[in-house]
Amino acid sequence: MKILDEAGFAVHMVGGGGMGVSHQTDSHTYILDAGGEYALIDAGSGIKPEMIRKNLERDGIDPARISTILLTHSHWDHARGCAFWRQATGAKVAAHEDAVETLEKTLWSDLHLAQHGIGASETKVDTRLRDGSRVKVGKLELEVLHSHGHSPDSICLFTSFGSHRILFSGDTVFAEGGHGTVSADTDFKKYRASVKRLVQYNATALLPGHRQFVLADGNEHVKLLDKKMSGRWTDVVATRVPFFPTWWLEHNPALYDDARESAALTGAPLASK
Ligand SMILES: [Zn+2]
């Protein structure tokens, strides 16, 4: 579905498990229409990718015109589908340089699918990004903001067209000041600094990896998280949300059957544990 449209450019949401747009295990996936040439922002879980393909069709997007697949980080619900989409579109894959090993060797060690013997296909990363990198797609350019926090390889992507200032925030910032999964390994000082910097971009549209997207006053949502992270520890952790794709797998074994079916179709090898 088209969610932003101005000056010959657009953003479509084509995947998102939490919003019922594609398979339950998918992160949000967006298409940036840069004037007839497209970028796919995040690739989803790779389980039933045909659901995303249907959404592309419905929106009149020719997958062959997707020139770039941008990954906000290497977590499986965003990146496991990358192998499928790289092959299906011939697009170049771009991710933070710290995400490369996970993607090229499918190192999703904590992945529930792997524990059930369901493998994943590796994908090559064509472009290694770092903070300040710029990615050209058609007539638009995206600025890469390394946002260490939710994961060490997280990036946010900023672009603008017409009156829109657009922040693809991955799992770094969610609407209403939400944040991605954190653990004992999280570097909270770096996470806080990442969020603080994002405030400077004064985004109108906040397009995150989960939960609802925000089309106006997006920066108010970023500021909420900045404020929360600058306060007491309990303000942060008390609002932690479950990591939905994993939660769903844990509560609905039928989703493993979807994964097995998709792995068989794409010839993904069995996981070695
Ligand atoms: Zn994540």
Side-chain angles (χ1 to χ4, degrees), residues 73 75 77-78 150 171 210 243:
H73 59 303
H75 283 166
D77 52 325
H78 298 251
H150 166 67
D171 289 359
H210 300 277
F243 187 31

Side-chain angles (χ1 to χ4, degrees), residues 133-153:
S133 297
R134 285 172 183 270
V135 181
K136 257 191 93 62
V137 182
K139 296 177 194 151
L140 294 177
E141 195 173 60
L142 295 111
E143 182 180 350
V144 174
L145 303 158
H146 185 206
S147 301
H148 186 124
H150 166 67
S151 71
D153 60 12

Side-chain angles (χ1 to χ4, degrees), residues 216-271:
D217 302 317
N219 204 37
E220 296 307 312
H221 298 252
V222 183
K223 283 200 274 191
L224 271 179
L225 181 57
D226 176 38
K227 195 170 165 210
K228 202 152 70 179
M229 283 191 155
S230 305
R232 294 172 304 155
W233 166 264
T234 46
D235 290 340
V236 178
V237 293
T239 55
R240 194 182 92 65
V241 297
F243 187 31
F244 284 120
T246 303
W247 185 90
W248 270 314
L249 280 173
E250 283 170 347
H251 290 79
N252 183 2
L255 297 176
Y256 286 111
D257 296 335
D258 291 346
R260 273 192 200 94
E261 206 181 289
S262 297
L265 282 174
T266 57
L270 290 180

